[in-house]
């Protein structure tokens, strides 16, 4: 038994903040942001709008596309680093709002790789017969943990949610998922406040994302090159077999490096970072949904999804759509 994607969806906050808007917030320019990152605008959640609100919107869109109702859903997993509460987890909130009571519902915290981690878990449940209709969501409100006075990070992030419905199939479907992590890099990208650790005496780092951008950049490029090679090798495929690369949308230069490794022109890469910025766990499912709905991604095509983020964590998935 395999799992296959039966439908996709996304939900973005209405408010759009352009690079020009940010010129009034910090000492930056549209030119710097575009040329260093590829980002032109991002969506930012309204006051009171939460990760669960966006996750619910994406879930409903994916369920409509898949033609399933709440009664069909028997598994919910959400990749997120910005939950509404410590508990109940975002999956439980979405489950309640959808009226899909009783099925397992939980969150996975793997920063930008959260959706790929969640997809991998749901795929294994479906493949083993443990679930028959899974809702897999990546949802974030990173704007809530962004220091809006720090130009090195605030220009990068945005809010949003993407979702897929996974169902069983006799043919793949999801061909393979590959996950990895290395906690030794934790100082390069982190958020210092947690329930258990709290703030240490004398510690000055604020409750925001802290990132040594260019060091993260180098490890991201190297790791993503390795993981796409591994994914192709595990499936005995040549680079030319891939129809679409659907990468985590952190930086156009990181994406270009991965595309070069795959010998792929940028026309075969789904890019949304110009419109969404880096939305962490939401970026890959939102990019997938954009390309499905605009008709670029077609049934039967081979997709390579990949992500890299805080932890460090990383992951990829090869999918026959
Ligand atoms: N506007 C203008 N100047 C800026 C800005 C800004 N917004 N931000 C930084 N600068 C300046 C710096 O101060 C520095 O100035 P200096 O040379 O006088 O010191 C100069 O620009 C260059 O800064 P760098 O940090 O070296 O710039 P770089 O080319 O590395 O780009 C960036 C920075 C965009 C952050 C890049 O390093 C990057 O994308 N890194 C990877 C991010 C990533 O993939 N994160 C993982 C996922 S995120 C997650 O998990 C939550």
């Amino acid at each position: 038994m395999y799992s296959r994607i039966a439908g996709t969806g996304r939900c973005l906050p209405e408010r759009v903040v352009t690079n020009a808007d940010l010129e009034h917030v910090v000492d930056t320019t549209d030119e710097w942001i575009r040329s260093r990152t590829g980002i032109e605008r991002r969506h930012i959640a309204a006051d009171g709008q939460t990760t669960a609100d966006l996750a619910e919107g994406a879930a409903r869109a994916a369920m409509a596309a898949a033609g399933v109702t709440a009664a069909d859903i028997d598994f919910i997993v959400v990749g997120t680093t910005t939950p509404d509460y410590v508990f109940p987890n975002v999956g439980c909130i979405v489950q309640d709002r959808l009226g899909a009571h009783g099925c397992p519902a939980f969150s996975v915290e793997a920063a930008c790789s959260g959706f790929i981690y969640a997809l991998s878990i749901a795929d294994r449940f479906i493949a083993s017969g443990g679930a028959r209709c899974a809702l897999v969501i990546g949802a974030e409100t990173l704007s809530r943990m962004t220091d809006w006075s720090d130009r090195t990070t605030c220009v990068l992030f945005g809010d949003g949610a993407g979702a897929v419905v996974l169902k069983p199939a006799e043919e793949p479907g999801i061909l393979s998922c590959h996950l990895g992590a290395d906690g030794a890099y934790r100082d390069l990208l982190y958020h210092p406040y947690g329930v258990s650790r709290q703030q240490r005496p004398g510690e000055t780092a604020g409750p925001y994302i802290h990132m040594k951008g260019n060091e993260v950049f180098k490890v991201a490029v190297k790791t993503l090159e390795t993981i796409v090679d591994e994914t192709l090798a595990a499936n005995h495929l040549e680079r030319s077999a891939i129809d679409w690369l659907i990468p985590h949308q952190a930086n156009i230069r990181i994406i270009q490096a991965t595309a070069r490794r795959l010998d792929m022109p940028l026309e075969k890469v789904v890019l949304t970072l110009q419109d969404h910025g880096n939305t962490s766990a939401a970026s890959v499912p939102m990019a997938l949904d954009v390309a499905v709905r605009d008709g670029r991604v077609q049934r039967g095509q081979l997709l390579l999804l990949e992500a890299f983020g805080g932890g460090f964590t990383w992951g990829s998935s090869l999918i026959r759509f």
Side-chain angles (χ1 to χ4, degrees):
M1 186 79 80
Y2 295 95
S3 74
R4 69 179 275 275
I5 294 176
T8 66
R10 70 180 185 280
C11 179
L12 284 153
E14 263 177 43
R15 183 176 163 220
V16 174
V17 174
T18 64
N19 292 350
D21 294 330
L22 290 178
E23 290 179 356
H24 303 292
V25 178
V26 285
D27 178 17
T28 192
T29 60
D30 173 50
E31 201 285 326
W32 191 96
I33 303 171
R34 273 177 203 256
S35 60
R36 296 288 179 124
T37 71
I39 298 165
E40 297 172 20
R41 60 190 73 80
R42 69 288 291 143
H43 292 250
I44 300 293
D47 288 346
Q49 189 175 33
T50 69
T51 295
D53 296 334
L54 300 173
E56 179 191 355
R60 288 189 187 280
M63 287 165 64
V68 303
T69 66
D72 300 312
I73 301 294
D74 63 1
F75 190 90
I76 300 175
V77 55
V78 184
T80 187
T81 320
T82 47
D84 294 36
Y85 303 97
V86 173
F87 56 85
N89 70 69
V90 174
C92 287
I93 301 170
V94 171
Q95 186 215 49
D96 180 44
R97 291 190 189 167
L98 295 175
H101 301 282
C103 72
F106 61 103
S107 300
V108 173
E109 195 265 285
C112 302
S113 314
F115 176 77
I116 304 275
Y117 270 62
L119 186 71
S120 167
I121 294 165
D123 170 52
R124 282 156 169 79
F125 266 85
I126 294 216
S128 65
R132 293 199 55 81
C133 188
L135 195 48
V136 186
I137 306 170
E140 302 276 16
T141 44
L142 281 190
S143 64
R144 304 278 197 254
M145 55 157 78
T146 298
D147 178 355
W148 289 98
S149 67
D150 175 10
R151 69 174 183 174
T152 68
T153 52
C154 78
V155 302
L156 304 173
F157 302 113
D159 302 331
V164 303
V165 171
L166 281 191
K167 293 184 81 171
E170 281 175 16
E171 301 280 314
I174 295 186
L175 290 151
S176 67
C177 293
H178 307 263
L179 306 179
D182 192 343
Y185 290 107
R186 62 187 179 273
D187 292 341
L188 296 186
L189 179 55
Y190 64 97
H191 182 296
Y193 284 31
V195 175
S196 176
R197 184 181 174 278
Q198 302 196 320
Q199 196 186 17
R200 300 266 159 98
E203 195 171 66
T204 53
Y208 310 116
I209 299 167
H210 295 263
M211 178 165 75
K212 294 190 177 128
N214 46 27
E215 290 177 59
V216 176
F217 187 98
K218 286 179 213 152
V219 186
V221 168
K222 238 176 87 199
T223 306
L224 289 169
E225 285 181 352
T226 307
I227 197 164
V228 297
D229 287 352
E230 269 175 31
T231 309
L232 291 174
N235 291 281
H236 311 289
L237 284 172
E238 296 297 322
R239 296 180 289 185
S240 57
I242 308 294
D243 291 300
W244 293 101
L245 174 64
I246 305 184
H248 172 49
Q249 314 278 323
N251 187 306
I252 187 69
R253 293 180 290 138
I254 296 176
I255 295 173
Q256 282 165 336
T258 312
R260 267 198 302 276
R261 182 68 158 209
L262 287 166
D263 209 11
M264 258 184 159
L266 269 189
E267 293 71 52
K268 292 179 77 180
V269 180
V270 178
L271 293 175
T272 52
L273 88 167
Q274 67 282 3
D275 298 322
H276 298 168
N278 178 350
T279 57
S280 185
S283 93
V284 170
M286 286 207 292
L288 172 63
D289 184 59
V290 165
V292 168
R293 285 177 193 264
D294 70 19
R296 275 179 288 173
V297 166
Q298 299 283 326
R299 286 283 169 205
Q301 288 185 328
L302 202 55
L303 318 180
L304 179 54
L305 279 49
E306 49 87 337
F308 179 91
F312 289 150
T313 57
W314 57 85
S316 67
S317 182
L318 189 76
I319 298 174
R320 179 71 67 190
F321 188 68

